Amino acid sequence: MNTQMADRVPVLITGGSLVGLSASLFLGRLGVPHLLVERHAETSRHPRGRGNNLRTMELFRGAGVEQDVRAAASVLADNHGILQAETLSGGEQEWLFREIDPGGGLARFSPSSWCLCSQNDLEPVLLRHAAERGDVRFNTELLSFAQDADGVTARLRDRAGGEEREVRADYLIAADGPRSPVREQLGIGQSGRGDLFHNVSVTFRAKRLAEVVGDRLFIACYLTDPAGAGALLPVDNREEWVFHLPWHPERGEAVEDFTDARCAAHIRAAAGVPDLDVEITGRAPWHAAERVADRYRAGRVFLCGDSAHEMPPTGAFGSNTGIQDAHNLAWKLAAVLDGWGGPRLLESYGAERRPVAVQTAARAAARSVEHQHPGFDAAPAGGPRTNVLAVALGYRYTEGALVGADATAGVIPERFAATGEVGTRAPHLWLRDADGARLSTLDLFGREPVLLAPVAGGAGWPEAARAVSEQTGVPIRCLLVGEDGDLVPEPVPDLPAGPRPAGPSGWPTVYGLREGGAVLVRPDGFVGWRAGSSVGDPVAALRVAARGVAGL
């Protein structure tokens, strides 16, 4: 880890949990010098949020850490599904869903897959990689900050030695949690339904509980017997476990009321085993809420993760949304600091991410109702259940650093479909490069805008990309796809579930292209502009697209 504290950095991050560490990881990958400070002395010890969805794993893939994350998650690699039962040893039980990806069908949509990795296992992986690329300081807190037209001045304190020093940054990312001191100082309000329900998360050891669970290797089990209501989550499938007990502060309950004896008795009732060995090892209260900040930016300060939004844990939408916030912001900061991003680019961060958070928080609350999450007394409303894939991969931007987005489209669709429309994540397809190496289309994106065009009718696009890059300063990499092109697509499966025609020539249809068309994909893998077919003046059309994507 870098041991030199910088007096001046382009980006200062406050908060070193999942989102702050991810921001550091993404900025470091883009070569942006930065400093991260975290007031705690170490990463989380509590096995909290564990579900990393397809999109988050794609981002970790792009950052070069996916395999390390999967290695850290290996102990829970065989756990699937959400079980609901009266007690663990009782006869009444129902799988709310049995498999995240039954039949492996999601492979047609992504080069990655879901990963169950608890926060206490994930954070050390992110910290290790982030510290290789940036200055990461734990046990260091942000005391105060002030901003002006040219930057942010922050006062930091080393909590171990008490030393204080001043750091000047071009931008500040506040990933400092739901009670964000930075958001409070900025006077940014929040909207939403507020607190929905409360739980106390209890970690414990019980060596005999694995015998009761048997071969039901679940992600979580919701227990409904009133004496043992709550959610049981495995940590190692052997003797380490977590139990979420409903907590009702509105009835006068305090966290201190959850004594070791009370928690152990509750867990025994949930298991249906009166003499179960239970050793309580820790407890942490948490609040399920639906809140979104009214603004994501104030001058040179940006809110990210829980400081920007809170949502119930059902579906694991909260941490994933926060990590995806960090990815969206990182490439935009890098573009501005590199000189090719304009002032409107940073404004697009909130314009794009806030509507996603509002809709995702609502879906998370709906899913908590659908699953009858312990402690949440809301009655099911009926109608279709929340489609998790639509939330994870299907969300779209209807305004922001885009040209030609459909402003009337829903931010989250009812069902996921890879269409290649402006504002959506670029569809995944497998390709071969000139050396025969296999890569996903998603592997092409990350550092600069990429222009993809079919070989047939695409002869004018490389020249247009070069001309527009020279005119605007926006680095555009043009790739022709097809036989004798820069990349050769593998045959696209002929699947009834989406616009995937068979044969190597099918890839343009997946991206909504005809002969002579092209698509400009942003560094975050979202389609920024699309010409469905040939245009009269490729340079003029692409110049408008480049300026829109770069915020010029």
Side-chain angles (χ1 to χ4, degrees):
M1 187 179 297
N2 192 336
T3 58
Q4 182 178 358
M5 178 75 82
D7 292 316
R8 173 94 192 193
V9 290
V11 181
L12 172 63
I13 304 167
T14 178
S17 190
L18 289 178
V19 174
L21 289 171
S22 294
S24 173
L25 179 70
F26 299 142
L27 287 170
R29 175 180 174 273
L30 294 170
V32 177
H34 61 279
L35 168 65
L36 180 150
V37 295
E38 163 57 49
R39 65 184 305 274
H40 292 99
E42 57 186 13
T43 55
S44 175
R45 292 186 176 183
H46 203 84
R48 294 179 285 181
R50 55 180 56 196
N52 298 283
N53 67 29
L54 281 172
R55 183 60 186 152
T56 293
M57 293 308 295
E58 289 174 356
L59 302 185
F60 287 158
R61 172 189 175 94
V65 302
E66 181 183 22
Q67 294 310 311
D68 284 354
V69 171
R70 294 196 184 281
S74 60
V75 69
L76 297 177
D78 294 328
N79 290 66
H80 299 280
I82 302 290
L83 180 66
Q84 188 174 72
E86 187 174 10
T87 68
L88 271 177
S89 57
E92 293 187 18
Q93 57 180 276
E94 173 190 5
W95 286 98
L96 299 179
F97 68 89
R98 187 66 185 88
E99 296 283 343
I100 293 177
D101 183 17
L106 295 182
R108 66 181 184 240
F109 297 127
S110 177
S112 299
S113 59
W114 297 81
C115 180
L116 194 64
C117 187
S118 297
Q119 186 169 342
N120 60 308
D121 293 322
L122 177 55
E123 285 185 357
V125 175
L126 300 181
L127 172 58
R128 185 171 71 252
H129 286 274
E132 293 173 354
R133 307 173 183 183
D135 194 349
V136 179
R137 295 291 179 122
F138 273 58
N139 217 20
T140 302
E141 62 182 329
L142 174 68
L143 295 177
S144 63
F145 72 94
Q147 62 173 317
D148 52 46
D150 300 318
V152 179
T153 302
R155 193 74 185 171
L156 308 178
R157 182 179 66 171
D158 182 325
R159 300 185 74 202
E163 298 89 353
E164 295 184 11
R165 69 184 306 160
E166 194 172 88
V167 172
R168 181 76 171 165
D170 294 311
Y171 300 99
L172 170 64
I173 297 176
D176 53 347
R179 309 294 176 258
S180 171
V182 172
R183 187 190 66 235
E184 291 293 325
Q185 179 175 329
L186 293 171
I188 296 177
Q190 297 172 287
S191 303
R193 292 194 290 170
D195 288 344
L196 300 178
F197 59 95
H198 314 268
N199 276 204
V200 174
S201 178
V202 177
T203 56
F204 68 99
R205 294 190 185 93
K207 296 181 179 179
R208 290 167 45 210
L209 189 55
E211 300 173 10
V212 182
V213 172
D215 60 0
R216 298 173 292 178
L217 297 181
F218 44 72
I219 296 172
C221 179
Y222 295 151
L223 288 312
T224 61
D225 184 282
L232 175 68
L233 293 78
V235 174
D236 63 4
N237 287 321
R238 297 186 301 275
E239 59 181 74
E240 301 283 346
W241 309 84
V242 176
F243 199 94
H244 296 318
L245 282 74
W247 168 35
H248 296 281
E250 74 280 3
R251 302 176 188 172
E253 278 190 326
V255 173
E256 292 73 22
D257 295 333
F258 289 81
T259 62
D260 286 1
R262 174 181 172 176
C263 294
H266 196 104
I267 292 167
R268 292 186 183 105
V273 181
D275 63 345
L276 182 69
D277 59 305
V278 176
E279 178 190 353
I280 306 298
T281 57
R283 60 181 59 76
W286 56 267
H287 313 273
E290 186 180 336
R291 295 188 185 92
V292 179
D294 296 333
R295 291 181 292 139
Y296 275 29
R297 179 189 183 187
R300 291 176 171 267
V301 183
F302 300 86
L303 305 183
C304 206
D306 285 350
S307 69
H309 47 72
E310 294 179 74
M311 56 192 75
T314 316
F317 297 141
S319 60
N320 287 284
T321 303
I323 291 169
Q324 292 156 32
D325 289 341
H327 190 260
N328 182 288
L329 181 57
W331 80 264
K332 294 175 179 178
L333 286 171
V336 170
L337 290 165
D338 285 346
W340 62 267
R344 292 189 297 111
L345 186 57
L346 296 181
E347 201 59 42
S348 74
Y349 167 63
E352 293 178 359
R353 293 304 301 169
R354 188 178 184 279
V356 171
V358 170
Q359 293 296 318
T360 303
R363 296 292 184 102
R367 193 163 177 84
S368 292
V369 174
E370 293 162 7
H371 284 188
Q372 301 175 44
H373 194 287
F376 196 16
D377 297 329
R385 293 199 162 211
T386 299
N387 184 290
V388 177
L389 188 61
V391 180
L393 286 187
Y395 65 85
R396 65 191 299 161
Y397 304 136
T398 59
E399 60 175 314
L402 311 157
V403 176
D406 182 358
T408 66
V411 174
I412 297 177
E414 291 304 316
R415 291 280 169 185
F416 170 73
T419 63
E421 295 177 76
V422 174
T424 66
R425 164 191 158 278
H428 152 71
L429 295 170
W430 288 113
L431 309 164
R432 297 280 178 177
D433 66 14
D435 297 323
R438 191 180 197 232
L439 69 160
S440 165
T441 45
L442 303 186
D443 297 331
L444 305 174
F445 318 128
R447 295 187 179 277
E448 69 274 290
V450 175
L451 185 70
L452 298 178
V455 170
W461 289 114
E463 290 77 8
R466 285 192 290 270
V468 170
S469 291
E470 292 175 1
Q471 294 170 9
T472 64
V474 179
I476 300 174
R477 183 162 57 113
C478 182
L479 298 169
L480 297 181
V481 184
E483 296 296 331
D484 301 321
D486 301 298
L487 299 163
V488 178
E490 293 186 355
V492 179
D494 187 10
L495 299 167
R500 300 280 179 116
S505 63
W507 89 266
T509 305
V510 177
Y511 272 75
L513 303 177
R514 295 185 295 278
E515 185 172 336
V519 60
L520 186 65
V521 183
R522 310 185 322 181
D524 61 350
F526 275 71
V527 176
W529 168 84
R530 183 174 70 178
S533 57
S534 58
V535 297
D537 187 344
V539 173
L542 187 56
R543 183 165 54 243
V544 171
R547 291 183 63 84
V549 166
L552 296 172

